[in-house]
Amino acid sequence: MNQTNLIGKSVLIVEDDPKIRNLIKIYLIKDGYEVIEADNGAEAKEKIQQFDPCILILDLMLPKVSGEEICRWVREDLKNMMPIIMLSAKATEKNKIEGFKLGADDYVVKPFSPAELMVRIEAVLRRTASRCGKLSFTGFTIKPAKGEAWINGEQLELTHFEFKLLHTFMQHPSQVLSREQILNMIYENNEKSVSDRTIDVHIKHLRGKISEKTPKDYIQTVRGMGYKFVGL
């Protein structure tokens, strides 16, 4: 599996059984996905609106709001085409057909193989790549085509250069980047309009805007080497 292509792919797991939810989460994190969780239908609706995940792993028999209702709500009310993989103990052909008619992209019957589920997730994301024009990591979400960024659902007002900085960091999480590497990633053909040291000022401003939304220091200075973007 090509993990580089999976960086920033946010997955919402909606499953009321904590053992199943945690098992799926372990496999997803191992393969480089950003994981969001919900243990009931009402919470799932909140998380979908807050985080707009790239793919939804949806149990059907849920407390408060059923998986079928959530799927119908996503497709008909939100008009959202995020990929949906249904998980269910309902194994008849009729059940599967009903799931696909509601808008599911795949249907996995319980009990299932976690390894097979990972392959199915990768296949669905590959088929539906155009539906997720965003990048997510540890609470951050950006839409490169629109130049929009959020932290924990709150929008960040960034300059063009600050947005490029955040985009670069999110593409290389937990990796130490020198000032020169950052500038080479931001500017093609090494056409730089700022010096290596000027980038420190832009990072300071970016940090300040992030700190207005959260106390955590996501951009760490690595003495003598550069900067590293870290998770929770």
Side-chain angles (χ1 to χ4, degrees):
M1 186 175 294
N2 188 346
Q3 290 192 10
T4 301
N5 292 335
L6 300 178
I7 290 174
K9 295 297 184 185
S10 54
V11 182
L12 173 57
I13 308 170
V14 187
E15 168 63 63
D16 62 327
D17 186 325
K19 291 183 179 179
I20 295 176
R21 194 171 66 248
N22 191 55
L23 180 62
I24 297 172
K25 180 181 178 180
I26 290 171
Y27 274 78
L28 285 168
I29 291 175
K30 181 181 178 182
D31 282 346
Y33 292 92
E34 172 82 0
V35 177
I36 308 161
E37 300 175 68
D39 62 9
N40 63 71
E43 184 184 10
K45 294 176 76 171
E46 293 176 1
K47 294 290 180 68
I48 288 169
Q49 291 181 302
Q50 182 179 3
F51 295 104
D52 188 22
C54 282
I55 186 167
L56 180 60
I57 309 302
L58 181 63
D59 183 27
L60 295 186
M61 292 185 283
L62 293 167
K64 299 184 180 181
V65 182
S66 72
E68 290 92 343
E69 289 180 73
I70 291 172
C71 189
R72 188 180 297 108
W73 172 74
V74 168
R75 294 292 188 246
E76 297 180 6
D77 295 348
L78 294 186
K79 307 297 183 185
N80 192 318
M81 292 307 296
M82 73 172 67
I84 297 175
I85 296 180
M86 288 183 172
L87 296 180
S88 180
K90 300 177 180 179
T92 68
E93 182 181 42
K94 181 180 179 182
N95 295 143
K96 294 178 182 179
I97 290 173
E98 289 175 350
F100 285 118
K101 282 184 176 180
L102 283 172
D105 293 273
D106 202 351
Y107 193 105
V108 177
V109 176
K110 295 179 179 179
F112 59 90
S113 159
E116 180 184 344
L117 177 61
M118 296 306 107
V119 173
R120 286 175 178 265
I121 290 170
E122 184 183 9
V124 168
L125 284 173
R126 190 165 53 243
R127 294 198 310 266
T128 61
S130 62
R131 300 190 203 172
C132 187
K134 64 188 181 69
L135 188 67
S136 299
F137 178 75
T138 192
F140 285 87
T141 300
I142 65 172
K143 292 186 177 181
K146 295 185 176 181
E148 297 175 351
W150 293 265
I151 172 67
N152 296 327
E154 292 189 68
Q155 189 159 6
L156 291 166
E157 298 297 334
L158 305 178
T159 65
H160 181 63
F161 194 88
E162 290 164 357
F163 181 85
K164 282 189 170 184
L165 273 175
L166 181 59
H167 190 190
T168 299
F169 281 129
M170 289 180 65
Q171 289 176 307
H172 302 85
S174 304
Q175 181 179 336
V176 178
L177 300 175
S178 68
R179 295 175 181 84
E180 183 176 2
Q181 285 178 312
I182 292 170
L183 288 174
N184 285 337
M185 291 172 187
I186 290 176
Y187 292 99
E188 295 181 2
N189 303 319
N190 294 322
E191 295 178 359
K192 305 174 187 176
S193 61
V194 297
S195 69
D196 287 357
R197 288 297 172 181
T198 305
I199 199 170
D200 295 342
V201 176
H202 289 285
I203 289 178
K204 180 181 178 181
H205 292 161
L206 175 59
R207 276 173 164 162
K209 292 180 179 181
I210 293 172
S211 68
E212 292 175 1
K213 308 293 185 182
T214 175
K216 181 171 175 59
D217 184 13
Y218 287 91
I219 304 172
Q220 295 184 351
T221 301
V222 182
R223 193 174 183 84
M225 298 179 67
Y227 297 95
K228 180 168 68 170
F229 190 65
V230 297
L232 297 173

